[in-house]
Amino acid sequence: MTSSIKTAVLFAALTALFIIIGGLVGGKAGMMIALIFAIVTNFISYWYSDSIVLRIYNAKELSRSDAPQVHSIVEELAKNAGIPKPKIYIVPDPSPNAFATGRNPENAVVAVTQGIMHILSINELRGVLAHEIAHIANRDILIQSSAAMLGSAITALANMLYFTSLFGGRDSENSNPLSAVGAILMIILAPLAASLIQMAISRSREYLADESGASYCSDPMALANALNKLNTYSQQIPLNNANPATENMFIVSPLLSSGMQALFSTHPPIEERIRRLQQMSR
């Protein structure tokens, strides 16, 4: 199954979960209330995501005179992807990483840390920049914002169902115990299921960005080698003040995770990403 088809299937599952729990709470009225709530809460995040995350990490715009080669690479890759050249920012942090943000290709930003500039060869950096350009070209900020909107709506509906069960669930003497159990399970499991689906969507988009990025730079192994280095160094030098809310934006997770935590990461295993890129190179 391709990453695009998998994303569509996961969105269908997220929508189905929203419809099911919405029906339990209050039919169409309950769904509309939750959906409006989710749209409002995620609107600011989507519209201002670039300025918010750049401010979080104290990123500054990188001028052409400071990094002419980086600007030339981004210009070439953006042309290959068929999008306008995004702005380039640098994050003053020794941890090697990169991310892309912006609500559309016309308002996009690619950001790299100081650390990544020091440890990667120019070809490896080109592979990383191609991956970030791919996120912009594939409109992943919009897709993940939409997934977050549905996830927020599901959580809101679960909370509404919880309060409904507290204040309205004892009115009927003939209430079905199985229905009550089902409602309790839905209150607990629906937000968890929504979070897991969102994580799966994020992982699917990472695979697609790897694939598209390797195509834009015509060198899958450059990106594979970069991912191998980034995985090693980012664990040794974690990103300062890494915000869990922005984890999915980075090329490798900026958070230290192992064991059970790794299962809930927004990023697929580095080993699998490298294996797929190696297959592409063959």
Side-chain angles (χ1 to χ4, degrees), residues 87-118:
K87 293 180 180 178
I88 307 170
Y89 276 67
I90 188 157
V91 177
D93 196 288
S95 181
N97 224 316
F99 64 86
T101 185
R103 62 186 181 273
N104 54 40
E106 291 71 34
N107 296 275
V109 169
V110 168
V112 294
T113 64
Q114 287 179 336
I116 204 173
M117 304 282 280
H118 294 152

CSV table of all heavy atoms in Angstrom, one decimal, residues 87-118:
chain,number,residue,atom,x,y,z
A,87,LYS,N,11.5,30.2,2.2
A,87,LYS,CA,12.5,30.9,3.0
A,87,LYS,C,13.3,29.9,3.8
A,87,LYS,O,12.9,28.8,4.1
A,87,LYS,CB,11.8,31.9,4.0
A,87,LYS,CG,11.1,33.0,3.3
A,87,LYS,CD,10.4,33.9,4.4
A,87,LYS,CE,9.6,35.0,3.7
A,87,LYS,NZ,8.9,35.9,4.7
A,88,ILE,N,14.5,30.3,4.1
A,88,ILE,CA,15.5,29.4,4.8
A,88,ILE,C,15.8,30.0,6.2
A,88,ILE,O,16.2,31.2,6.3
A,88,ILE,CB,16.7,29.1,4.0
A,88,ILE,CG1,16.4,28.6,2.6
A,88,ILE,CG2,17.6,28.1,4.8
A,88,ILE,CD1,17.6,28.6,1.7
A,89,TYR,N,15.6,29.2,7.3
A,89,TYR,CA,15.9,29.7,8.6
A,89,TYR,C,16.9,28.8,9.3
A,89,TYR,O,17.1,27.6,8.9
A,89,TYR,CB,14.6,29.7,9.5
A,89,TYR,CG,13.8,31.0,9.3
A,89,TYR,CD1,13.1,31.2,8.1
A,89,TYR,CD2,13.6,31.9,10.3
A,89,TYR,CE1,12.4,32.4,7.9
A,89,TYR,CE2,12.9,33.0,10.2
A,89,TYR,CZ,12.2,33.3,9.0
A,89,TYR,OH,11.5,34.4,8.8
A,90,ILE,N,17.7,29.3,10.2
A,90,ILE,CA,18.6,28.5,11.0
A,90,ILE,C,18.3,28.6,12.5
A,90,ILE,O,17.9,29.7,13.0
A,90,ILE,CB,20.1,29.0,10.7
A,90,ILE,CG1,21.0,28.0,11.4
A,90,ILE,CG2,20.3,30.4,11.3
A,90,ILE,CD1,22.4,28.0,10.8
A,91,VAL,N,18.3,27.5,13.1
A,91,VAL,CA,18.0,27.3,14.6
A,91,VAL,C,19.3,27.3,15.3
A,91,VAL,O,20.2,26.4,15.0
A,91,VAL,CB,17.2,26.1,14.8
A,91,VAL,CG1,16.9,25.9,16.3
A,91,VAL,CG2,15.9,26.1,14.1
A,92,PRO,N,19.6,28.2,16.3
A,92,PRO,CA,20.8,28.2,17.0
A,92,PRO,C,20.9,27.1,18.0
A,92,PRO,O,20.8,27.3,19.2
A,92,PRO,CB,20.9,29.6,17.7
A,92,PRO,CG,19.4,29.9,17.9
A,92,PRO,CD,18.7,29.3,16.7
A,93,ASP,N,21.1,25.8,17.6
A,93,ASP,CA,21.1,24.7,18.5
A,93,ASP,C,22.1,23.7,17.9
A,93,ASP,O,22.1,23.4,16.7
A,93,ASP,CB,19.7,24.1,18.6
A,93,ASP,CG,19.6,23.1,19.8
A,93,ASP,OD1,20.2,22.0,19.7
A,93,ASP,OD2,18.9,23.5,20.7
A,94,PRO,N,22.9,23.0,18.8
A,94,PRO,CA,23.9,22.1,18.3
A,94,PRO,C,23.4,20.7,17.9
A,94,PRO,O,24.0,19.9,17.2
A,94,PRO,CB,24.9,21.9,19.5
A,94,PRO,CG,24.0,22.2,20.7
A,94,PRO,CD,23.1,23.3,20.2
A,95,SER,N,22.1,20.5,18.3
A,95,SER,CA,21.5,19.2,17.9
A,95,SER,C,21.2,19.2,16.4
A,95,SER,O,20.6,20.1,15.9
A,95,SER,CB,20.2,19.0,18.7
A,95,SER,OG,19.6,17.7,18.3
A,96,PRO,N,21.6,18.2,15.7
A,96,PRO,CA,21.4,18.1,14.2
A,96,PRO,C,20.0,17.8,13.9
A,96,PRO,O,19.5,16.7,14.2
A,96,PRO,CB,22.4,17.1,13.7
A,96,PRO,CG,22.5,16.1,14.9
A,96,PRO,CD,22.4,17.0,16.1
A,97,ASN,N,19.3,18.7,13.2
A,97,ASN,CA,17.9,18.4,12.8
A,97,ASN,C,17.4,19.4,11.8
A,97,ASN,O,18.1,20.4,11.5
A,97,ASN,CB,17.0,18.4,14.0
A,97,ASN,CG,16.0,17.2,14.0
A,97,ASN,OD1,15.4,16.9,13.0
A,97,ASN,ND2,15.8,16.6,15.2
A,98,ALA,N,16.2,19.2,11.3
A,98,ALA,CA,15.6,20.1,10.3
A,98,ALA,C,14.1,20.0,10.3
A,98,ALA,O,13.6,18.9,10.7
A,98,ALA,CB,16.2,19.9,8.9
A,99,PHE,N,13.4,21.0,9.8
A,99,PHE,CA,12.0,20.9,9.7
A,99,PHE,C,11.5,21.8,8.6
A,99,PHE,O,12.2,22.8,8.2
A,99,PHE,CB,11.2,21.1,11.0
A,99,PHE,CG,11.4,22.5,11.6
A,99,PHE,CD1,10.5,23.5,11.2
A,99,PHE,CD2,12.4,22.8,12.6
A,99,PHE,CE1,10.7,24.8,11.8
A,99,PHE,CE2,12.5,24.1,13.1
A,99,PHE,CZ,11.6,25.1,12.7
A,100,ALA,N,10.2,21.6,8.2
A,100,ALA,CA,9.6,22.5,7.3
A,100,ALA,C,8.2,22.9,7.9
A,100,ALA,O,7.6,22.2,8.6
A,100,ALA,CB,9.3,21.8,5.9
A,101,THR,N,7.8,24.1,7.6
A,101,THR,CA,6.5,24.6,8.1
A,101,THR,C,6.0,25.6,7.1
A,101,THR,O,6.6,26.0,6.1
A,101,THR,CB,6.7,25.2,9.5
A,101,THR,OG1,5.4,25.6,10.0
A,101,THR,CG2,7.6,26.5,9.5
A,102,GLY,N,4.7,26.1,7.4
A,102,GLY,CA,4.0,27.0,6.5
A,102,GLY,C,2.8,26.4,6.0
A,102,GLY,O,2.7,25.2,5.7
A,103,ARG,N,1.7,27.2,5.9
A,103,ARG,CA,0.4,26.7,5.5
A,103,ARG,C,0.2,26.3,4.1
A,103,ARG,O,-0.7,25.5,3.7
A,103,ARG,CB,-0.7,27.7,5.9
A,103,ARG,CG,-0.6,29.0,5.2
A,103,ARG,CD,-1.6,30.0,5.7
A,103,ARG,NE,-1.6,31.3,5.0
A,103,ARG,CZ,-0.7,32.3,5.3
A,103,ARG,NH1,0.1,32.2,6.3
A,103,ARG,NH2,-0.8,33.4,4.6
A,104,ASN,N,1.1,26.7,3.2
A,104,ASN,CA,1.1,26.3,1.8
A,104,ASN,C,2.4,26.6,1.2
A,104,ASN,O,3.3,27.2,1.8
A,104,ASN,CB,0.0,27.1,1.1
A,104,ASN,CG,0.1,28.6,1.2
A,104,ASN,OD1,1.2,29.1,1.2
A,104,ASN,ND2,-1.1,29.3,1.4
A,105,PRO,N,2.7,26.1,-0.1
A,105,PRO,CA,4.0,26.3,-0.7
A,105,PRO,C,4.4,27.7,-0.9
A,105,PRO,O,5.6,28.1,-0.9
A,105,PRO,CB,3.8,25.6,-2.0
A,105,PRO,CG,2.8,24.5,-1.8
A,105,PRO,CD,1.8,25.2,-0.8
A,106,GLU,N,3.4,28.6,-1.0
A,106,GLU,CA,3.7,30.0,-1.2
A,106,GLU,C,4.1,30.7,0.1
A,106,GLU,O,4.7,31.8,0.1
A,106,GLU,CB,2.4,30.8,-1.7
A,106,GLU,CG,2.1,30.4,-3.1
A,106,GLU,CD,1.5,29.0,-3.3
A,106,GLU,OE1,0.8,28.6,-2.4
A,106,GLU,OE2,1.8,28.4,-4.3
A,107,ASN,N,3.9,30.1,1.3
A,107,ASN,CA,4.3,30.7,2.6
A,107,ASN,C,5.1,29.7,3.4
A,107,ASN,O,4.8,29.5,4.6
A,107,ASN,CB,3.0,31.1,3.4
A,107,ASN,CG,2.2,32.2,2.7
A,107,ASN,OD1,2.5,33.3,2.8
A,107,ASN,ND2,1.2,31.8,1.9
A,108,ALA,N,6.0,29.0,2.7
A,108,ALA,CA,6.7,27.9,3.4
A,108,ALA,C,8.1,28.3,3.9
A,108,ALA,O,8.7,29.3,3.4
A,108,ALA,CB,6.9,26.8,2.4
A,109,VAL,N,8.5,27.6,4.8
A,109,VAL,CA,9.9,27.8,5.5
A,109,VAL,C,10.6,26.5,5.6
A,109,VAL,O,9.9,25.5,6.1
A,109,VAL,CB,9.7,28.5,6.9
A,109,VAL,CG1,11.0,28.5,7.6
A,109,VAL,CG2,9.2,29.9,6.7
A,110,VAL,N,11.8,26.4,5.3
A,110,VAL,CA,12.7,25.3,5.7
A,110,VAL,C,13.7,25.8,6.7
A,110,VAL,O,14.3,26.8,6.5
A,110,VAL,CB,13.5,24.8,4.4
A,110,VAL,CG1,14.5,23.8,4.8
A,110,VAL,CG2,12.5,24.1,3.5
A,111,ALA,N,13.8,25.0,7.8
A,111,ALA,CA,14.7,25.4,8.9
A,111,ALA,C,15.7,24.3,9.2
A,111,ALA,O,15.3,23.1,9.2
A,111,ALA,CB,13.9,25.8,10.2
A,112,VAL,N,16.9,24.7,9.4
A,112,VAL,CA,18.0,23.7,9.7
A,112,VAL,C,18.7,24.2,11.0
A,112,VAL,O,18.7,25.4,11.3
A,112,VAL,CB,19.0,23.6,8.6
A,112,VAL,CG1,18.4,22.9,7.4
A,112,VAL,CG2,19.7,24.9,8.3
A,113,THR,N,19.2,23.3,11.8
A,113,THR,CA,19.9,23.7,13.0
A,113,THR,C,21.4,23.9,12.7
A,113,THR,O,21.9,23.4,11.6
A,113,THR,CB,19.8,22.6,14.1
A,113,THR,OG1,20.4,21.4,13.6
A,113,THR,CG2,18.3,22.3,14.5
A,114,GLN,N,22.0,24.6,13.5
A,114,GLN,CA,23.5,24.8,13.3
A,114,GLN,C,24.2,23.4,13.4
A,114,GLN,O,25.2,23.2,12.7
A,114,GLN,CB,24.0,25.7,14.4
A,114,GLN,CG,23.6,27.2,14.2
A,114,GLN,CD,24.2,28.1,15.3
A,114,GLN,OE1,24.5,27.6,16.5
A,114,GLN,NE2,24.3,29.4,15.0
A,115,GLY,N,23.7,22.6,14.2
A,115,GLY,CA,24.3,21.2,14.4
A,115,GLY,C,24.3,20.4,13.1
A,115,GLY,O,25.3,19.8,12.8
A,116,ILE,N,23.2,20.5,12.3
A,116,ILE,CA,23.2,19.7,11.1
A,116,ILE,C,24.1,20.2,10.0
A,116,ILE,O,24.6,19.5,9.2
A,116,ILE,CB,21.7,19.7,10.5
A,116,ILE,CG1,21.5,18.5,9.7
A,116,ILE,CG2,21.4,21.0,9.7
A,116,ILE,CD1,20.0,18.3,9.2
A,117,MET,N,24.4,21.5,10.1
A,117,MET,CA,25.3,22.1,9.1
A,117,MET,C,26.8,21.6,9.4
A,117,MET,O,27.6,21.6,8.5
A,117,MET,CB,25.3,23.6,9.2
A,117,MET,CG,23.9,24.2,9.0
A,117,MET,SD,23.4,24.3,7.3
A,117,MET,CE,24.3,25.8,6.8
A,118,HIS,N,27.0,21.2,10.6
A,118,HIS,CA,28.4,20.8,11.0
A,118,HIS,C,28.7,19.3,10.7
A,118,HIS,O,29.9,19.0,10.5
A,118,HIS,CB,28.7,21.1,12.4
A,118,HIS,CG,28.7,22.6,12.8
A,118,HIS,ND1,28.3,23.1,14.0
A,118,HIS,CD2,28.9,23.7,12.0
A,118,HIS,CE1,28.4,24.4,13.9
A,118,HIS,NE2,28.8,24.8,12.7
